Amino acid sequence: MSNTLKNLLHSPKFMVGFILFIAILLTILIYPLFNPGNPLEMIGVGTFAKPGTYISLYDATSSQKETLKIANAEEKRIAAALSDEDRVKMLEWLSAYGVDVTEVDASNTDAILELWMANYNPDASIKGFTKSETRNFRLIQNRITELMSADTLIIYEEGAEDSKSKIVKTDYVNLNAIANVKTLPLGTDNFGRDVLKELVSAAGTSIIIGLIAGSVATVIGLTLGLLAGYLGGNADEIIMFITTVFTVIPGFVLLILISYSLGQDQRGPTIVAIVIGCTSWTWTARSVRSQVISLRNRDHVNLSKLSGHSLGRIILTDILPYIASYVVMAFILQVSSGILSEAQLSLLGLGPKTTTTPTLGLMMNWAMLYSAHTNGSWWAYFPVILTIACISFSLNLMNTGMDQVFNPALRD
Amino acid sequence: MKGYRKYFTKKIVWFLITLFVAMVLNFVLPRLMPSDPVAAITGKMAGQTTDTAAVQEIYSRFEEEFGTNKPMIVQFLIFLRNLFKGDLGTSFSQYPRKVSDIISSSIGWTLALQIPAIIVGWIIGNVLGAVAAYKKKGWDKIVMPVTMFISNIPAFGSAVILLYLFAVKWKVAPVAGGYAFDMIPNFSWAFVKSVIEHYQLPFWSIVLISIGGQAIGMRSMSIYELNADYVKYSRFLGIRDGKIVGYVFRNAMLPQVTGLAMSIGGSVSGALVAEIIFSYPGIGSTMYAAVTAADYPLISACTLIITIMVLIATLSLDIIYGFIDPRVKAAQFDA
Amino acid sequence: MGKVMLEVKNLKTKYITRFGEDVYSVDGVSLKIEEGKSLGVAGESGCGKSTLALSMMGYYFPPLHYISGDIIIDGQNISGMDPDKVRTTVLGSEIAYIPQAAMNALNPTMKIIRFLEDVIHAHEPKATKAEIRERAEERFADLGLGKEVLDRHAVELSGGMKQRTVIAVSTILSPKVLIADEPSSALDVTSQKMVIKMMKEMMEKGYIRSMMFITHELPLLYNVTDDIAVMYAGQFVEYGTAKEMVFDPLHPYSHGLMGSILVPEEGTRGMNLTAIPGTPPNLKRPPAGCRFAERCKYATPECFYTAPAEKMFGENSTRMYRCLMSEEALRAKYAEEGGASK
C-alpha cells in the first residue's frame, strides 16, 4: 500500500492532476471569504459589462482634484475614443482619397491622426462609399475635433441654470480617494451578476453534483459488478443483460427523458446529480465484474469459502481490497463525466432548477440564451468552458497516472 | 462461416432486444410522472401560449394520442402500432404539424453532419494516438498532454470557441444555420456553396470532439500492443521495425472499431449539443427547440430517433468488426 | 571435439529501468556450445537467464543495453556489428529465438504463412510467395504439423499447436544456434513432451545445429541437454555435463537447487522444499563479494568482500565453479551433512 502511494507520488501525471484539482478546490473554498455574499446577486443593471475595474463617476467628480500635465494624455484620449473599426474606416477613406497608407499600421493612432487631420475633407466626394458611410466619416471627424477643442466638461445640477462644477482636461483624482471602486475581473453576465463570483460558486456546485453522480454510479456499478462477477451463473446473466442493454442505449437520452419527466419543480441539483448517476453506472459494473471474475478463483478466496465465511465477508475482505484501485479510478472518471453531463443537460434547458446556486451548465445555458457567443461577450462563457476543462483534465490526469501505476503495461 | 453466423445472429438479437427496451423506456418514463401526465405535459406547454382554444384542442388531441384512459398495455400497443406506421404524434409547438414530418426534415442534416465528422475524427485520432505511442519522445511529452487537455474541453465548449474565433472574430464562417437564412433549399450552386460554408464549423468541432478520446484510446492500445510478445519475437526473426509497427497498428486499430461502437452514444450526445450552438437544423436543435417549448411529443420522438440511430451505428460497427478481426471468429469457435 | 557453433566471452549487458536505474542482469557470462550439442541454463526466476537469452541475440533495443563481451557464431563475431546487418544476416538465419511466452509470440491477426513470408523476405528479399509456401509446407509436414496450419490465424490454434508452430517458424531458416527460453513451461505434460521431441528431431535432421535451452525445471534439462549451467544473479556459478551437474553438484547454490528439486527421501518429509532460504541480491547494486554469500550457509566473512573467480576442475578441467572454497572443502562439508541427516 505505501509502495503504491510512493509510486503515485512519483507519477508526474497523477501529481499534476492532483495539484490542479486541489488548487481548484482551494479556490472554491477560499475565494468566497474575500468576496462574500450571494453569488446570484445582480449588481449590474445592464447586461454583459466588460471585465475591468469600475470606479464611481459620482465619487470621482466630487473628489479633490489635482492638476497634472501629462505629455501624451491627449493622444491617449483620442486613441481610446477611436474603435478599431473607426481606424480601419479612416484608413479606407484616406487610401480612397489617394493618400499612401501602406506604411501605416491600424494601431498607430499618431500616424493615422496626423494623416487624417492633414487630408480629411468632408466635402470631397469619393466614389465607392455609401451615404451612411460618408455620414459616419463626418461623425468620426466631429468626435475628434470635439475631443481636441473642448477643454472643459461642465456638469449641471438638476434644475440649476449655472454650472455646478467644471472638469478640465488636466484634472486628476487619486484612485485611493475614490470611495467606490469595484473590480470585476470577469465582468458581469446577462443578468448583471459578477461572473467570477458566480463561476467560483458554480464550480463548487458542479463538483458536488459530480461527486454525488459519481458516488451513485459507483455504488450501483460496484454492487451489480460484484454480484455478477462473484455469483456468476444466472445472476451474472441477468445483470449483464441489463448492463449491456443500458450500455447501448445512450445514457444522455435516458437523462433527457427522466429529467423532462421529472418536471422543473422536482429538479434540484441533488436530484439531477442522482439521475445522472443512475444513467452512467454501466461501465463501472462491467469493469468491476471482469476484475471480480479474475479474482473469484484465487486461492485466498477459495480458502475463505472453505472456511465458511459469509458472502458479505468474502466480498469485503477478500475481493474489495483487490479491486479498490479500479473502483477509485472508475469513481474519478464518473465524477468528471457527471460534471459534463450536468453541463450538457443544462445547455438543453433541462438543468437543475435553482434560484440560489448557479452550476457551470446553467451559466453556459444563460450565456447561450443571451447570445454571449455571438455578441463577443467571451467572459460570460469562456471562463466556464475553461473551468470545466480544467476540472475534468485534472481528474483525468489523476486517473491516467493511477492507471500507469496499477497497470505497468501502460508505463512509458 | 458457422462462427460468423453465430456472431451476427447474436448481434442482431441483441439489437432487437435493446431496441425493444429503448421503446419501452421511451413509453414508460413519462407515464411514471405523478398525477395526470397529460395535464402535466400539456400544462407545461399551456404556460407559454395564451390561445386557450388552441390549448384545449391540443389537450384533447394529445389525450387521445397518449391514450391515458386505456390500460397501460393497450396504451403500449397503440404506441407501438403508431410507431410502426411512422406516426409519432402531433407537435405542440408547431401545431398541427406532425412530429414525423419535423423529424424527417432534420434527420438528414444530422446524419450528413455526424457520420462523416465522427469517421474523420476517428481516423485522425487513431493516427495521432499511434504516432504518440510510437514516437514516445517529443510527441508523447508535448502533443499528448495538449491532446488530453483539448479532449477535456466539453463538446459544446470547443464548438463555442470555434464559433467565436471563426465566425465572430475573423468572420470567415457563418454564425448559425445550415444554409444562409435568406435562401430556399434547392439544388442551385449558390445554395450548395452556402450549405458547404455552413457545414465547416459544426463539422470540425465534432471532429475535434472525437479526436481526443480516440487518440488516447489508440495510444494505450498501441503501447499495449508494442509491448506484446509478438513484437519482440518478430524483431528477433529479423523483421524490419517498420513492418512490425504495421502489425502493431493494425492490431491496435481493430479493437478501436469496437471502441467507437462503445463510445458512439457519448459522441452523438456531444455532437447534438454542438448542433445547438451552431443552430444547425438537425435533431439536436430540434430537440432544444422542443425542450424550450415544452413540446413533449417532439422530445419523445427525438430521444427515440437518437437511440435508434445509435443502435444502428453500433450494430453496423459490430458487424464490420466481425469481418475484419479474425480474433472474433476464433472467439466464436472457442465458445 | 566438434566445431564450436556458439562462443560467448565475458558478456555484460544491462537494463535501464524507467526511473533511469541500471540493472546489471547479465554480468560476465562465458560459454561454448559445440556443433550438435545443447546447453541447458537453469536458475531461479529473476536470475537473469531470460535476459541472457535476449542478450545473446546481439540485437539490442531499450530497455536492454549492451556493455561489453563477444558473441561468436560459427567463427563470426556479431557483437559490435551494425544492428541492421545483424538483423538481415544473423537474426533468424544464424541464431534464432523461441520466446518464453510462445502463446503470445505470434501476431494474432495474421495468417501463419503471411508471417513466414515476412520472415523470409527479411533475409531473402527476392524469394517469391510460391517458393516460400513450398518451403514452409515441406518443413511443416516434416515436423508433423499439418500444412493447413499455414492458412490459420494464430488465434485459431490451440496452445500446444501454437508452441510447435512457433518452433517451426523460428527455425524456418535453419539457424546454427537456437535459443529456447522456457519453451515448454506453460504447457501440459503431453505437449511438453511433444515440444522436447520436436527439438531433438530438429537437431537430428540438421534444421538447427546447436541449442541453448533455458528453464527453471532442472529435471527437464537432464533429459534434454548435454551440458548444464547454473545461473545466479547474472553470472554462471557452475558448469558441467548434465550428468555431473545433477548427480554431483559442487557449488553450494547448485547443490541446494538440486536438493530442492530431487524427491526428498524417507525421513526428510516435512523439510522445507525451498532448500535455500532468502532472496537473490538486487542487481541494481550487485554485492562486492560473492553474490550468493548472503544465502550461503557455509559463508565466511571473507565471502562478503572477495568476489570469487571462475575455477576449472574435474576430469580434463572441463567443469567450472565460482566459489572461494576449494573443491575438497566443499565435498567435505556435503559429506558431513549427508552423514548427519542419515
Side-chain angles (χ1 to χ4, degrees), chain B:
Chain B
M1 213 55 226
K2 190 165 155 275
Y4 279 128
R5 195 184 300 153
K6 203 165 134 200
Y7 174 81
F8 294 138
T9 317
K10 203 173 96 189
K11 290 290 169 193
I12 290 167
V13 167
W14 266 108
F15 169 77
L16 294 174
I17 292 174
T18 325
L19 183 64
F20 182 74
V21 174
M23 284 175 183
V24 171
L25 285 173
N26 224 59
F27 169 81
V28 164
L29 283 175
R31 284 169 176 78
L32 291 181
M33 266 186 281
S35 77
D36 174 13
V38 177
I41 289 167
T42 47
K44 275 183 202 167
M45 186 264 320
Q48 306 190 352
T49 161
T50 45
D51 185 353
T52 44
V55 171
Q56 193 50 49
E57 196 185 331
I58 291 175
Y59 182 93
S60 50
R61 180 147 183 182
F62 186 61
E63 195 176 27
E64 186 193 318
E65 279 173 3
F66 214 78
T68 32
N69 44 4
K70 301 183 188 85
M72 206 61 142
I73 182 74
V74 179
Q75 288 181 39
F76 185 60
L77 290 175
I78 295 173
F79 170 83
L80 280 187
R81 192 192 64 200
N82 288 342
L83 205 60
F84 283 113
K85 284 198 300 194
D87 179 4
L88 296 162
T90 313
S91 161
F92 290 169
S93 56
Q94 302 180 38
Y95 189 80
R97 219 174 145 195
K98 295 300 275 181
V99 168
S100 46
D101 185 30
I102 303 175
I103 297 281
S104 58
S105 68
S106 56
I107 192 162
W109 291 98
T110 292
L111 292 178
L113 177 65
Q114 300 212 2
I115 294 176
I118 289 176
I119 292 175
V120 171
W122 185 81
I123 294 172
I124 298 179
N126 277 314
V127 171
L128 278 181
V131 172
Y134 186 62
K135 295 206 180 283
K136 285 194 165 187
K137 295 267 151 45
W139 282 83
D140 222 12
K141 290 276 174 303
I142 300 153
V143 176
M144 228 39 217
V146 172
T147 319
M148 238 187 118
F149 186 77
I150 289 176
S151 75
N152 279 297
I153 298 175
F156 56 82
S158 42
V160 172
I161 293 170
L162 283 184
L163 178 73
Y164 173 74
L165 290 179
F166 290 94
V168 178
K169 199 169 159 67
W170 298 324
K171 296 190 167 60
V172 291
V175 175
Y179 48 89
F181 61 90
D182 51 0
M183 283 184 171
I184 296 160
N186 58 59
F187 279 104
S188 70
W189 167 238
F191 181 73
V192 172
K193 185 164 165 278
S194 170
V195 166
I196 292 173
E197 276 168 5
H198 283 78
Y199 190 75
Q200 297 306 317
L201 279 185
F203 176 80
W204 290 108
S205 76
I206 297 173
V207 168
L208 215 58
I209 296 163
S210 341
I211 286 180
Q214 294 299 333
I216 290 164
M218 179 65 180
R219 176 178 167 273
S220 325
M221 239 12 244
S222 304
I223 289 180
Y224 176 81
E225 290 284 336
L226 277 170
N227 288 322
D229 292 320
Y230 68 81
V231 171
K232 200 164 75 180
Y233 181 58
S234 308
R235 270 185 172 160
F236 279 142
L237 283 169
I239 296 175
R240 259 186 315 113
D241 274 7
K243 204 147 213 162
I244 300 173
V245 168
Y247 301 168
V248 165
F249 291 151
R250 188 183 137 82
N251 289 350
M253 193 83 122
L254 290 175
Q256 286 291 97
V257 175
T258 328
L260 182 61
M262 299 285 278
S263 67
I264 204 150
S267 331
V268 166
S269 51
L272 289 172
V273 176
E275 274 187 11
I276 300 172
I277 305 283
F278 295 107
S279 314
Y280 204 75
I283 299 280
S285 300
T286 306
M287 186 153 71
Y288 178 64
V291 169
T292 318
D295 187 345
Y296 174 76
L298 194 51
I299 297 176
S300 171
C302 286
T303 52
L304 195 60
I305 288 295
I306 295 167
T307 313
I308 292 173
M309 288 192 318
V310 171
L311 289 183
I312 293 177
T314 314
L315 177 71
S316 331
L317 286 170
D318 278 340
I319 287 179
I320 293 174
Y321 183 58
F323 273 118
I324 56 179
D325 195 334
R327 284 171 284 197
V328 170
K329 199 170 82 185
Q332 295 308 309
F333 279 120
D334 284 352

Side-chain angles (χ1 to χ4, degrees), chain A residues 68-80 109-110 113 169 172:
Chain A
L68 299 178
K69 300 208 153 135
I70 292 167
N72 55 357
E74 189 83 348
E75 189 192 308
K76 275 186 168 174
R77 196 169 287 129
I78 295 173
T109 317
D110 243 1
L113 208 59
K169 279 181 172 174
Y172 285 79

Side-chain angles (χ1 to χ4, degrees), chain C residues 28-340:
Chain C
V29 168
S30 304
L31 59 89
K32 243 184 228 179
I33 307 177
E34 287 166 20
E35 183 159 18
K37 297 278 180 183
S38 55
L39 169 72
V41 175
E44 291 167 288
S45 56
C47 72
K49 55 189 194 300
S50 287
T51 314
L52 174 64
L54 300 181
S55 304
M56 286 181 18
M57 304 302 292
Y59 190 65
Y60 305 94
F61 41 87
L64 185 61
H65 296 263
Y66 171 77
I67 303 173
S68 63
D70 295 308
I71 302 161
I72 301 156
I73 300 172
D74 197 13
Q76 184 192 19
N77 192 341
I78 63 163
S79 44
M81 221 193 230
D82 171 51
D84 210 49
K85 202 175 165 210
V86 172
R87 182 177 69 73
T88 50
T89 64
V90 176
L91 293 180
S93 52
E94 297 283 298
I95 184 165
Y97 172 76
I98 300 175
Q100 196 165 13
M103 292 299 166
N104 307 316
L106 294 167
N107 181 355
T109 62
M110 205 172 184
K111 284 186 179 167
I112 308 297
I113 183 73
R114 294 284 103 76
F115 185 58
L116 280 172
E117 279 165 13
D118 282 355
V119 171
I120 294 179
H121 276 146
H123 304 278
E124 301 160 31
K126 290 198 182 95
T128 66
K129 286 191 176 190
E131 274 167 36
I132 293 172
R133 178 172 281 275
E134 197 182 322
R135 256 163 89 178
E137 281 182 358
E138 194 182 319
R139 178 65 66 89
F140 270 56
D142 202 23
L143 291 173
L145 288 155
K147 61 182 179 184
E148 68 279 359
V149 171
L150 290 172
D151 287 306
R152 291 273 173 82
H153 291 97
V155 281
E156 298 168 73
L157 302 174
S158 69
M161 200 61 177
K162 235 187 259 182
Q163 179 69 55
R164 286 160 64 205
T165 308
V166 166
I167 296 173
V169 170
S170 290
T171 54
I172 192 80
L173 295 162
S174 307
K176 291 175 180 153
V177 185
L178 178 67
I179 297 185
D181 186 2
E182 310 224 18
S184 61
S185 56
L187 300 174
D188 58 275
V189 182
T190 329
S191 307
Q192 269 190 16
K193 279 189 179 151
M194 283 176 91
V195 165
I196 305 285
K197 190 175 144 249
M198 188 168 167
M199 312 215 22
K200 284 187 164 168
E201 226 176 78
M202 286 195 304
M203 193 82 108
E204 283 157 17
K205 291 185 174 163
Y207 295 158
I208 55 175
R209 289 160 71 190
S210 67
M211 177 171 72
M212 183 168 117
F213 194 104
I214 292 171
T215 184
H216 60 271
E217 294 168 274
L218 264 169
L220 194 73
L221 285 183
Y222 176 61
N223 292 321
V224 178
T225 63
D226 302 302
D227 294 335
I228 294 179
V230 171
M231 195 168 182
Y232 186 76
Q235 297 174 333
F236 282 173
V237 292
E238 193 173 350
Y239 189 111
T241 66
K243 201 173 168 193
E244 289 164 341
M245 290 299 290
V246 172
F247 294 103
D248 178 33
L250 187 64
H251 189 278
Y253 178 66
S254 357
H255 189 80
L257 208 58
M258 300 301 163
S260 72
I261 282 154
L262 295 178
V263 182
E265 288 165 37
E266 201 73 34
T268 58
R269 203 183 295 160
M271 254 177 64
N272 193 355
L273 274 179
T274 36
I276 318 163
T279 49
N282 185 344
L283 290 177
K284 284 173 195 166
R285 286 170 299 279
C290 172
R291 298 188 174 192
F292 186 58
E294 235 174 76
R295 297 169 73 186
C296 181
K297 48 184 172 178
Y298 316 113
T300 62
E302 200 199 350
C303 295
F304 286 91
Y305 54 86
T306 311
E310 298 190 346
K311 287 192 242 177
M312 303 308 288
F313 72 105
E315 260 180 273
N316 308 325
S317 290
T318 49
R319 293 188 65 186
M320 179 284 282
Y321 80 116
R322 193 193 279 268
C323 180
L324 289 177
M325 267 195 266
S326 68
E327 192 187 341
E328 295 74 24
L330 280 167
R331 292 200 191 283
K333 292 264 185 202
Y334 297 150
E336 191 183 305
E337 250 178 36

